[in-house]
Amino acid sequence: MLDEHLQQWSAIQTVRAAGLTVEEVRRAYLECSGDSDELGVYGYLCGLVMLPLERRNLLAHTINGLLDSSGSLVDGAHYSDERATLDSGYDDYLRRLVLSPDGYDFTAPPAGDHSTSTQQGAPHDEGRGKTSALEDAEFRRCHALYETGLLESGAEERFDRITRDAREHFGVSSSSIALITAHAQVIKSVVGPIGQDLPRDLALCARTIERDRTLVIPDAGSDPAWRDHPLVADGPEVRFYAGHPVSTAEGWRIGSLCIIDDRPRRFTEEDEVHLRRFAAQVQLELWA
């Protein structure tokens, strides 16, 4: 049985390497009688949510069918087990999974993808240093942010509705959507007393976009990694933080949806799933 996160990683890598769009995968999936809603398919292919086994296999089958119809030579999306692989008829597409020394990583997409990752697979010519590659990736990330027009459009009810719902769902003091420019955090939407424009080096949300994962700080005041941070030791005295990156359709992490409280909190795996779903709603509004 293939680990569910590894199966998801395989699907995302295949879609990216083949140059498929999430929208064309979604349409083909519905034609195959897939019953996941639009949010589920988008969220799964962005690493935001996990689908049940049957839906993961059907989505893998959909992706492999698109590869077959286009004549693509990209490695196919893997199924959950050997039986499903053999029944699919696409087993020839499924070469042995070759992972990095650290295993599978949502921040290490194939060459040519538009992720913010520069640790592995970052585009750079032979002989160019890591610093240059980082600068190139950051330039493209900022360009993707400016192209959205979100920095100029001010407050928008479609985003305020999501932050209100997130704050109410988790029962925290504040919820916000932050956009991360080259030098600053710009608040796109905020509900509650905590959430303001800040220099980038002070913004917790700037740390959130560094990796494609949910950043959770249950008790910043007692955490050695965070207790001396200015937002924790001074100012609003943040104690709890949880944020998930928000990406463009091309994969650039341009900001985050976060929830903040002035007291420590437990945050379960189920809570993380709900937060990722709220982030997926932001992305759907962004992509629309």
Side-chain angles (χ1 to χ4, degrees):
M1 179 71 70
L2 190 65
D3 174 80
E4 61 182 9
H5 295 289
L6 182 53
Q7 185 180 8
Q8 180 184 30
W9 178 85
S10 167
I12 292 171
Q13 299 295 75
T14 300
V15 168
R16 288 172 168 172
L20 299 172
T21 67
V22 176
E23 176 58 27
E24 64 184 309
V25 174
R26 187 187 70 83
R27 287 198 302 266
Y29 175 80
L30 293 177
E31 290 173 0
C32 292
S33 301
D35 59 356
S36 286
D37 60 16
E38 181 181 30
L39 179 60
V41 175
Y42 275 121
Y44 181 78
L45 292 177
C46 294
L48 292 168
V49 296
M50 182 58 64
L51 296 178
L53 184 147
E54 294 80 6
R55 295 177 183 176
R56 297 199 307 271
N57 281 341
L58 181 57
L59 194 51
H61 197 68
T62 300
I63 294 167
N64 293 334
L66 290 172
L67 298 182
D68 186 50
S69 63
S70 66
S72 174
L73 299 179
V74 170
D75 292 354
H78 282 253
Y79 297 87
S80 61
D81 54 40
E82 184 176 0
R83 176 62 182 272
T85 300
L86 294 175
D87 289 346
S88 72
Y90 292 124
D91 49 302
D92 288 342
Y93 278 95
L94 306 182
R95 299 173 179 84
R96 184 175 66 87
L97 283 171
V98 179
L99 308 179
S100 73
D102 297 323
Y104 59 94
D105 183 358
F106 285 111
T107 67
D113 181 77
H114 301 291
S115 166
T116 57
S117 172
T118 54
Q119 295 179 355
Q120 300 180 46
H124 61 279
D125 298 330
E126 186 175 358
R128 292 176 62 194
K130 182 178 180 180
T131 299
S132 180
L134 285 167
E135 291 173 349
D136 287 350
E138 177 61 12
F139 174 83
R140 294 176 67 188
R141 189 195 69 80
C142 289
H143 183 68
L145 169 58
Y146 293 129
E147 281 191 323
T148 66
L150 295 177
L151 292 170
E152 294 79 34
S153 56
E156 297 182 65
E157 171 59 23
R158 58 182 179 140
F159 295 118
D160 292 342
R161 181 182 66 253
I162 298 171
T163 52
R164 285 197 302 269
D165 290 347
R167 181 194 186 194
E168 180 179 353
H169 175 85
F170 292 105
V172 293
S173 63
S174 302
S175 174
S176 63
I177 297 169
L179 305 174
I180 306 300
T181 71
H183 304 292
Q185 167 182 280
V186 178
I187 296 299
K188 178 66 177 177
S189 173
V190 61
V191 178
I194 305 176
Q196 62 192 63
D197 294 353
L198 291 168
R200 181 171 175 174
D201 59 356
L202 291 181
L204 296 176
C205 288
R207 299 291 295 274
T208 300
I209 71 166
E210 292 175 359
R211 293 176 56 197
D212 193 1
R213 54 80 176 93
T214 305
L215 174 61
V216 180
I217 309 173
D219 184 0
S222 63
D223 189 330
W226 300 101
R227 64 189 178 196
D228 295 326
H229 190 284
L231 297 180
V232 178
D234 304 306
E237 297 186 352
V238 171
R239 289 297 176 266
F240 168 82
Y241 173 92
H244 194 87
V246 170
S247 302
T248 66
E250 292 77 25
W252 294 105
R253 294 192 286 277
I254 60 171
S256 77
L257 170 74
C258 75
I259 54 174
I260 299 175
D261 212 343
D262 54 7
R263 60 185 178 87
R265 300 179 63 94
R266 289 182 63 253
F267 205 66
T268 66
E269 291 184 5
E270 183 178 358
D271 289 331
E272 288 195 31
V273 169
H274 284 294
L275 185 64
R276 290 195 295 269
R277 287 175 176 166
F278 280 115
Q281 291 177 31
V282 176
Q283 290 189 164
L284 287 179
E285 291 295 337
L286 171 62
W287 298 350

